[in-house]
Amino acid sequence: MFGFGKKKEKKPQQSPDMAGTENEMSEERKAELLHTISAKQAEIAQKAGEEQAAVQEELGLALYELGKDDDAIAAFEASLQNKKSIGPGYKTLLKLYNQKRAEAAKSNDESLLQLYMQKMDGMMQISKDVTRGLK
Amino acid sequence: MGVINFIIDNILTQASVTVALIAMLGLILQKKSVGQTISGSLKTLLGFMVLSAGSAIIVGSLVYFGDIFTEGFNMQGIIPSIEAINGQAMNELGLGRDIALTFLAIFVFNILIARFTRWKYIFLTGQAILWMATMTTVFGYFAGLRGIALILVGGFIGGVFAVAMPAIAQPFVRKITGMNEIALGHFCTIGYVFEAGVAKVFGEKGEKKKSVEDLKLPPQFEFLQDTYLSLMVVMVPLFIVTAAFAGPEFGATLSGGTNYLMFAFLQSIQFVVGVYVLLAGVRLLLGEIVPAFRGIAMRLVPNAIPALDCPVLFPYSPNAVIVGFITTTIGSIIAMFFLPVFGWAMILPGVLTNFFAGGTAGIFGNAVGGRRGAIIGGIFHGFFITLLPALLVTIFNSMGFVNATATDVDTVAAALLYAWIIGPLMKAF
């Protein structure tokens, strides 16, 4: 009635910014991403504030596409610390936190589980703040 | 025997102590250190007492508002505030212990349902569960349930809602976010689905569908940046205009030596202070219990889908949040004037509910019916979330609640389940 069974029949659609690491990546794309990453890393040092946050977000997205989740998390966290935003970086980071939360639950690691739950709470606060116009 | 009687008669009758003891038991079961157990239990005790203090402030302000509204407009004016309902139920009605136990029972039933059925949703919005526990306890009590039955029935109904609401919302959430790993845990879901239904009927379809995200809207509402500031923006004019209608002579009977309009202004601030204090108490009260529950739930249901608070959807459709807020406010203002025509109490618009519930509903409306769906659906949603709480006013009045009604529509639906089905069934058998 409410489409409960649909998730089994239908594979959830992925938005472009959620394009993940599951698809096999061509060598060309890998090389392109590695080039982007090194360029962005160099660019970060030359920028500050909001501009730096934007580059950190782009770096995070490239690292995520390359499958380097921990590095991507670090880049997204640095970006949000610089400037709160709810763009593609935010969405990907929430997804990554949730993955980490699920892994911690499976490995029965209480402290890690609590850490990622707290981080997810923090993401809700950022979303509230940005939507209400807080910088 | 004397000691046991003393404990039962003098300690367990104090809701604040019982709640602290429940938290202590939870902390001991989690094998926390002695220091953590003591500090956690004391924080919970403190939280309950702070919540009570907030409730007393709110009630004082609401009694005043009720008097001037009746004098000024010759009808009852109700402020929608789940915080006020919770505070009054916990204290004035003496249901604090039952609400706390039902709150825990909802957690337990949520885990059981998620563990043993295919619906793996774990509801993580602790505050919303407290509101649900409040409503199931109050209306269970009204239906005639007492003791363990009151807690178990409330826990079961609340647990079912904690799983069913995210499940009902999930097809929409998948459409909005493009993923299935995260769900929506907010007890306003019936309103969201209602808006989606209206948007389906009246909204744009197929290629004609235009998203509100293509519109250029003002980026922010400054008065909404702070919860308490936004409450003040509504409450101050509401109290002052009402006092003006009640007149200086009547106003002076309540304000003593203070000017009647100044007194109304101060009372409106008192209401906001009460909400501030009460919510600080709620945070202290839940600060220990909720993380413990989350840890237990996530380990017992390792493939759980976490149901998060409504801001989880805001990044996917920020314009729809603004459209939803505005249209829901319009709908609630229409309902405010429409309902008294049919003999209902006047339900005043709640700015925070309109923002969070209205905003999220706007995302649903836009996803289903585009711009037109979000706008028409939002107005219907505002009317709907004002009508449902109006249905509870008579019962709240008969139980001694002062000039307030519930807000979150899923908790209202649970209350109506008791009032319209469980209560009559209990009387019939």
PDB file of all heavy atoms in Angstrom, chain B residues 338-366:
ATOM      1  N   PHE B 338     -11.398  30.086  10.468  1.00  0.00           N
ATOM      2  CA  PHE B 338     -12.458  29.220   9.947  1.00  0.00           C
ATOM      3  C   PHE B 338     -13.062  28.336  11.059  1.00  0.00           C
ATOM      4  O   PHE B 338     -14.276  28.184  11.145  1.00  0.00           O
ATOM      5  CB  PHE B 338     -11.859  28.347   8.832  1.00  0.00           C
ATOM      6  CG  PHE B 338     -12.855  27.508   8.103  1.00  0.00           C
ATOM      7  CD1 PHE B 338     -13.650  28.070   7.103  1.00  0.00           C
ATOM      8  CD2 PHE B 338     -13.007  26.167   8.393  1.00  0.00           C
ATOM      9  CE1 PHE B 338     -14.564  27.286   6.411  1.00  0.00           C
ATOM     10  CE2 PHE B 338     -13.919  25.376   7.717  1.00  0.00           C
ATOM     11  CZ  PHE B 338     -14.697  25.945   6.716  1.00  0.00           C
ATOM     12  N   LEU B 339     -12.198  27.768  11.902  1.00  0.00           N
ATOM     13  CA  LEU B 339     -12.686  26.797  12.891  1.00  0.00           C
ATOM     14  C   LEU B 339     -13.695  27.389  13.888  1.00  0.00           C
ATOM     15  O   LEU B 339     -14.705  26.735  14.189  1.00  0.00           O
ATOM     16  CB  LEU B 339     -11.509  26.143  13.627  1.00  0.00           C
ATOM     17  CG  LEU B 339     -10.581  25.268  12.762  1.00  0.00           C
ATOM     18  CD1 LEU B 339      -9.432  24.699  13.591  1.00  0.00           C
ATOM     19  CD2 LEU B 339     -11.343  24.127  12.100  1.00  0.00           C
ATOM     20  N   PRO B 340     -13.464  28.618  14.397  1.00  0.00           N
ATOM     21  CA  PRO B 340     -14.449  29.158  15.350  1.00  0.00           C
ATOM     22  C   PRO B 340     -15.848  29.341  14.752  1.00  0.00           C
ATOM     23  O   PRO B 340     -16.837  29.316  15.476  1.00  0.00           O
ATOM     24  CB  PRO B 340     -13.846  30.513  15.757  1.00  0.00           C
ATOM     25  CG  PRO B 340     -12.393  30.355  15.528  1.00  0.00           C
ATOM     26  CD  PRO B 340     -12.277  29.483  14.319  1.00  0.00           C
ATOM     27  N   VAL B 341     -15.917  29.527  13.418  1.00  0.00           N
ATOM     28  CA  VAL B 341     -17.220  29.667  12.764  1.00  0.00           C
ATOM     29  C   VAL B 341     -18.075  28.431  13.034  1.00  0.00           C
ATOM     30  O   VAL B 341     -19.295  28.492  13.155  1.00  0.00           O
ATOM     31  CB  VAL B 341     -17.040  29.869  11.234  1.00  0.00           C
ATOM     32  CG1 VAL B 341     -18.368  29.888  10.507  1.00  0.00           C
ATOM     33  CG2 VAL B 341     -16.261  31.155  10.966  1.00  0.00           C
ATOM     34  N   PHE B 342     -17.421  27.297  13.175  1.00  0.00           N
ATOM     35  CA  PHE B 342     -18.150  26.043  13.412  1.00  0.00           C
ATOM     36  C   PHE B 342     -18.135  25.644  14.896  1.00  0.00           C
ATOM     37  O   PHE B 342     -18.334  24.481  15.244  1.00  0.00           O
ATOM     38  CB  PHE B 342     -17.552  24.929  12.551  1.00  0.00           C
ATOM     39  CG  PHE B 342     -17.782  25.171  11.084  1.00  0.00           C
ATOM     40  CD1 PHE B 342     -16.863  25.863  10.334  1.00  0.00           C
ATOM     41  CD2 PHE B 342     -18.961  24.747  10.479  1.00  0.00           C
ATOM     42  CE1 PHE B 342     -17.080  26.119   8.993  1.00  0.00           C
ATOM     43  CE2 PHE B 342     -19.194  25.008   9.137  1.00  0.00           C
ATOM     44  CZ  PHE B 342     -18.256  25.698   8.389  1.00  0.00           C
ATOM     45  N   GLY B 343     -17.837  26.613  15.742  1.00  0.00           N
ATOM     46  CA  GLY B 343     -17.918  26.355  17.181  1.00  0.00           C
ATOM     47  C   GLY B 343     -16.654  25.781  17.801  1.00  0.00           C
ATOM     48  O   GLY B 343     -16.642  25.449  18.985  1.00  0.00           O
ATOM     49  N   TRP B 344     -15.576  25.635  17.000  1.00  0.00           N
ATOM     50  CA  TRP B 344     -14.324  25.137  17.564  1.00  0.00           C
ATOM     51  C   TRP B 344     -13.586  26.283  18.254  1.00  0.00           C
ATOM     52  O   TRP B 344     -13.843  27.440  17.990  1.00  0.00           O
ATOM     53  CB  TRP B 344     -13.407  24.597  16.452  1.00  0.00           C
ATOM     54  CG  TRP B 344     -13.994  23.488  15.647  1.00  0.00           C
ATOM     55  CD1 TRP B 344     -14.700  23.623  14.497  1.00  0.00           C
ATOM     56  CD2 TRP B 344     -13.936  22.097  15.922  1.00  0.00           C
ATOM     57  NE1 TRP B 344     -15.086  22.389  14.037  1.00  0.00           N
ATOM     58  CE2 TRP B 344     -14.625  21.438  14.889  1.00  0.00           C
ATOM     59  CE3 TRP B 344     -13.357  21.334  16.943  1.00  0.00           C
ATOM     60  CZ2 TRP B 344     -14.762  20.060  14.850  1.00  0.00           C
ATOM     61  CZ3 TRP B 344     -13.491  19.957  16.900  1.00  0.00           C
ATOM     62  CH2 TRP B 344     -14.189  19.343  15.863  1.00  0.00           C
ATOM     63  N   ALA B 345     -12.644  25.906  19.099  1.00  0.00           N
ATOM     64  CA  ALA B 345     -11.790  26.935  19.713  1.00  0.00           C
ATOM     65  C   ALA B 345     -10.897  27.536  18.632  1.00  0.00           C
ATOM     66  O   ALA B 345     -10.659  26.911  17.593  1.00  0.00           O
ATOM     67  CB  ALA B 345     -10.935  26.312  20.805  1.00  0.00           C
ATOM     68  N   MET B 346     -10.409  28.751  18.894  1.00  0.00           N
ATOM     69  CA  MET B 346      -9.478  29.366  17.939  1.00  0.00           C
ATOM     70  C   MET B 346      -8.066  28.853  18.239  1.00  0.00           C
ATOM     71  O   MET B 346      -7.550  29.045  19.340  1.00  0.00           O
ATOM     72  CB  MET B 346      -9.530  30.887  18.059  1.00  0.00           C
ATOM     73  CG  MET B 346      -8.634  31.576  17.063  1.00  0.00           C
ATOM     74  SD  MET B 346      -8.755  33.387  17.156  1.00  0.00           S
ATOM     75  CE  MET B 346     -10.029  33.722  15.961  1.00  0.00           C
ATOM     76  N   ILE B 347      -7.464  28.185  17.245  1.00  0.00           N
ATOM     77  CA  ILE B 347      -6.104  27.660  17.422  1.00  0.00           C
ATOM     78  C   ILE B 347      -5.142  28.666  16.780  1.00  0.00           C
ATOM     79  O   ILE B 347      -5.207  28.897  15.574  1.00  0.00           O
ATOM     80  CB  ILE B 347      -5.921  26.279  16.745  1.00  0.00           C
ATOM     81  CG1 ILE B 347      -7.039  25.304  17.159  1.00  0.00           C
ATOM     82  CG2 ILE B 347      -4.535  25.706  17.030  1.00  0.00           C
ATOM     83  CD1 ILE B 347      -6.982  24.800  18.565  1.00  0.00           C
ATOM     84  N   LEU B 348      -4.277  29.236  17.583  1.00  0.00           N
ATOM     85  CA  LEU B 348      -3.352  30.258  17.071  1.00  0.00           C
ATOM     86  C   LEU B 348      -2.181  29.583  16.355  1.00  0.00           C
ATOM     87  O   LEU B 348      -1.787  28.477  16.725  1.00  0.00           O
ATOM     88  CB  LEU B 348      -2.882  31.119  18.245  1.00  0.00           C
ATOM     89  CG  LEU B 348      -4.085  31.758  18.939  1.00  0.00           C
ATOM     90  CD1 LEU B 348      -3.770  32.143  20.362  1.00  0.00           C
ATOM     91  CD2 LEU B 348      -4.589  32.952  18.164  1.00  0.00           C
ATOM     92  N   PRO B 349      -1.633  30.230  15.337  1.00  0.00           N
ATOM     93  CA  PRO B 349      -0.559  29.567  14.569  1.00  0.00           C
ATOM     94  C   PRO B 349       0.715  29.403  15.405  1.00  0.00           C
ATOM     95  O   PRO B 349       1.069  30.286  16.179  1.00  0.00           O
ATOM     96  CB  PRO B 349      -0.307  30.533  13.404  1.00  0.00           C
ATOM     97  CG  PRO B 349      -1.439  31.478  13.394  1.00  0.00           C
ATOM     98  CD  PRO B 349      -1.981  31.536  14.771  1.00  0.00           C
ATOM     99  N   GLY B 350       1.355  28.281  15.245  1.00  0.00           N
ATOM    100  CA  GLY B 350       2.608  28.019  15.961  1.00  0.00           C
ATOM    101  C   GLY B 350       3.785  28.194  15.006  1.00  0.00           C
ATOM    102  O   GLY B 350       3.927  27.437  14.044  1.00  0.00           O
ATOM    103  N   VAL B 351       4.607  29.194  15.254  1.00  0.00           N
ATOM    104  CA  VAL B 351       5.642  29.548  14.278  1.00  0.00           C
ATOM    105  C   VAL B 351       6.697  28.446  14.113  1.00  0.00           C
ATOM    106  O   VAL B 351       7.139  28.168  12.994  1.00  0.00           O
ATOM    107  CB  VAL B 351       6.285  30.906  14.641  1.00  0.00           C
ATOM    108  CG1 VAL B 351       7.067  30.839  15.939  1.00  0.00           C
ATOM    109  CG2 VAL B 351       7.199  31.389  13.525  1.00  0.00           C
ATOM    110  N   LEU B 352       7.047  27.772  15.196  1.00  0.00           N
ATOM    111  CA  LEU B 352       8.093  26.753  15.076  1.00  0.00           C
ATOM    112  C   LEU B 352       7.586  25.527  14.331  1.00  0.00           C
ATOM    113  O   LEU B 352       8.278  24.951  13.489  1.00  0.00           O
ATOM    114  CB  LEU B 352       8.618  26.361  16.461  1.00  0.00           C
ATOM    115  CG  LEU B 352       9.412  27.463  17.167  1.00  0.00           C
ATOM    116  CD1 LEU B 352       9.837  27.019  18.544  1.00  0.00           C
ATOM    117  CD2 LEU B 352      10.630  27.872  16.348  1.00  0.00           C
ATOM    118  N   THR B 353       6.355  25.119  14.650  1.00  0.00           N
ATOM    119  CA  THR B 353       5.765  23.975  13.929  1.00  0.00           C
ATOM    120  C   THR B 353       5.627  24.322  12.454  1.00  0.00           C
ATOM    121  O   THR B 353       5.903  23.498  11.581  1.00  0.00           O
ATOM    122  CB  THR B 353       4.377  23.639  14.506  1.00  0.00           C
ATOM    123  OG1 THR B 353       4.532  23.438  15.901  1.00  0.00           O
ATOM    124  CG2 THR B 353       3.786  22.409  13.880  1.00  0.00           C
ATOM    125  N   ASN B 354       5.182  25.564  12.190  1.00  0.00           N
ATOM    126  CA  ASN B 354       5.012  25.958  10.791  1.00  0.00           C
ATOM    127  C   ASN B 354       6.341  25.917  10.047  1.00  0.00           C
ATOM    128  O   ASN B 354       6.380  25.579   8.863  1.00  0.00           O
ATOM    129  CB  ASN B 354       4.405  27.360  10.706  1.00  0.00           C
ATOM    130  CG  ASN B 354       2.932  27.346  11.037  1.00  0.00           C
ATOM    131  OD1 ASN B 354       2.342  26.278  11.218  1.00  0.00           O
ATOM    132  ND2 ASN B 354       2.330  28.505  11.144  1.00  0.00           N
ATOM    133  N   PHE B 355       7.426  26.254  10.743  1.00  0.00           N
ATOM    134  CA  PHE B 355       8.713  26.240  10.069  1.00  0.00           C
ATOM    135  C   PHE B 355       9.206  24.805   9.841  1.00  0.00           C
ATOM    136  O   PHE B 355       9.503  24.414   8.702  1.00  0.00           O
ATOM    137  CB  PHE B 355       9.765  27.031  10.853  1.00  0.00           C
ATOM    138  CG  PHE B 355      11.102  27.044  10.154  1.00  0.00           C
ATOM    139  CD1 PHE B 355      11.277  27.774   8.992  1.00  0.00           C
ATOM    140  CD2 PHE B 355      12.157  26.290  10.632  1.00  0.00           C
ATOM    141  CE1 PHE B 355      12.495  27.763   8.315  1.00  0.00           C
ATOM    142  CE2 PHE B 355      13.383  26.278   9.965  1.00  0.00           C
ATOM    143  CZ  PHE B 355      13.549  27.019   8.807  1.00  0.00           C
ATOM    144  N   PHE B 356       9.289  24.032  10.908  1.00  0.00           N
ATOM    145  CA  PHE B 356       9.882  22.697  10.764  1.00  0.00           C
ATOM    146  C   PHE B 356       8.933  21.723  10.056  1.00  0.00           C
ATOM    147  O   PHE B 356       9.332  21.056   9.096  1.00  0.00           O
ATOM    148  CB  PHE B 356      10.320  22.152  12.135  1.00  0.00           C
ATOM    149  CG  PHE B 356      11.539  22.867  12.655  1.00  0.00           C
ATOM    150  CD1 PHE B 356      11.466  23.729  13.722  1.00  0.00           C
ATOM    151  CD2 PHE B 356      12.768  22.690  12.045  1.00  0.00           C
ATOM    152  CE1 PHE B 356      12.592  24.402  14.185  1.00  0.00           C
ATOM    153  CE2 PHE B 356      13.901  23.362  12.488  1.00  0.00           C
ATOM    154  CZ  PHE B 356      13.805  24.221  13.563  1.00  0.00           C
ATOM    155  N   ALA B 357       7.692  21.634  10.532  1.00  0.00           N
ATOM    156  CA  ALA B 357       6.747  20.713   9.887  1.00  0.00           C
ATOM    157  C   ALA B 357       6.331  21.262   8.522  1.00  0.00           C
ATOM    158  O   ALA B 357       6.289  20.519   7.533  1.00  0.00           O
ATOM    159  CB  ALA B 357       5.531  20.499  10.777  1.00  0.00           C
ATOM    160  N   GLY B 358       6.052  22.567   8.465  1.00  0.00           N
ATOM    161  CA  GLY B 358       5.646  23.181   7.197  1.00  0.00           C
ATOM    162  C   GLY B 358       6.758  23.080   6.165  1.00  0.00           C
ATOM    163  O   GLY B 358       6.518  22.754   5.001  1.00  0.00           O
ATOM    164  N   GLY B 359       7.974  23.365   6.594  1.00  0.00           N
ATOM    165  CA  GLY B 359       9.118  23.294   5.683  1.00  0.00           C
ATOM    166  C   GLY B 359       9.322  21.903   5.114  1.00  0.00           C
ATOM    167  O   GLY B 359       9.525  21.719   3.905  1.00  0.00           O
ATOM    168  N   THR B 360       9.247  20.907   5.987  1.00  0.00           N
ATOM    169  CA  THR B 360       9.438  19.524   5.523  1.00  0.00           C
ATOM    170  C   THR B 360       8.283  19.103   4.613  1.00  0.00           C
ATOM    171  O   THR B 360       8.497  18.432   3.593  1.00  0.00           O
ATOM    172  CB  THR B 360       9.553  18.574   6.735  1.00  0.00           C
ATOM    173  OG1 THR B 360      10.469  19.142   7.669  1.00  0.00           O
ATOM    174  CG2 THR B 360      10.033  17.201   6.327  1.00  0.00           C
ATOM    175  N   ALA B 361       7.069  19.507   5.000  1.00  0.00           N
ATOM    176  CA  ALA B 361       5.905  19.188   4.155  1.00  0.00           C
ATOM    177  C   ALA B 361       6.078  19.807   2.772  1.00  0.00           C
ATOM    178  O   ALA B 361       5.709  19.204   1.756  1.00  0.00           O
ATOM    179  CB  ALA B 361       4.626  19.688   4.818  1.00  0.00           C
ATOM    180  N   GLY B 362       6.650  21.003   2.740  1.00  0.00           N
ATOM    181  CA  GLY B 362       6.895  21.674   1.454  1.00  0.00           C
ATOM    182  C   GLY B 362       7.791  20.834   0.548  1.00  0.00           C
ATOM    183  O   GLY B 362       7.597  20.788  -0.671  1.00  0.00           O
ATOM    184  N   ILE B 363       8.764  20.159   1.146  1.00  0.00           N
ATOM    185  CA  ILE B 363       9.669  19.294   0.359  1.00  0.00           C
ATOM    186  C   ILE B 363       8.872  18.129  -0.243  1.00  0.00           C
ATOM    187  O   ILE B 363       9.045  17.786  -1.415  1.00  0.00           O
ATOM    188  CB  ILE B 363      10.813  18.760   1.254  1.00  0.00           C
ATOM    189  CG1 ILE B 363      11.650  19.933   1.795  1.00  0.00           C
ATOM    190  CG2 ILE B 363      11.689  17.777   0.481  1.00  0.00           C
ATOM    191  CD1 ILE B 363      12.721  19.526   2.793  1.00  0.00           C
ATOM    192  N   PHE B 364       7.967  17.563   0.546  1.00  0.00           N
ATOM    193  CA  PHE B 364       7.129  16.462   0.050  1.00  0.00           C
ATOM    194  C   PHE B 364       6.226  16.965  -1.091  1.00  0.00           C
ATOM    195  O   PHE B 364       6.099  16.309  -2.131  1.00  0.00           O
ATOM    196  CB  PHE B 364       6.255  15.903   1.184  1.00  0.00           C
ATOM    197  CG  PHE B 364       6.944  14.899   2.061  1.00  0.00           C
ATOM    198  CD1 PHE B 364       8.067  15.242   2.812  1.00  0.00           C
ATOM    199  CD2 PHE B 364       6.468  13.591   2.158  1.00  0.00           C
ATOM    200  CE1 PHE B 364       8.704  14.317   3.633  1.00  0.00           C
ATOM    201  CE2 PHE B 364       7.103  12.659   2.964  1.00  0.00           C
ATOM    202  CZ  PHE B 364       8.220  13.021   3.702  1.00  0.00           C
ATOM    203  N   GLY B 365       5.596  18.128  -0.861  1.00  0.00           N
ATOM    204  CA  GLY B 365       4.681  18.675  -1.868  1.00  0.00           C
ATOM    205  C   GLY B 365       5.396  18.956  -3.173  1.00  0.00           C
ATOM    206  O   GLY B 365       4.893  18.641  -4.251  1.00  0.00           O
ATOM    207  N   ASN B 366       6.604  19.522  -3.063  1.00  0.00           N
ATOM    208  CA  ASN B 366       7.379  19.854  -4.263  1.00  0.00           C
ATOM    209  C   ASN B 366       7.817  18.579  -4.996  1.00  0.00           C
ATOM    210  O   ASN B 366       7.778  18.513  -6.223  1.00  0.00           O
ATOM    211  CB  ASN B 366       8.601  20.679  -3.862  1.00  0.00           C
ATOM    212  CG  ASN B 366       9.449  21.072  -5.055  1.00  0.00           C
ATOM    213  OD1 ASN B 366       8.936  21.616  -6.032  1.00  0.00           O
ATOM    214  ND2 ASN B 366      10.736  20.775  -4.997  1.00  0.00           N
TER     215      ASN B 366
END
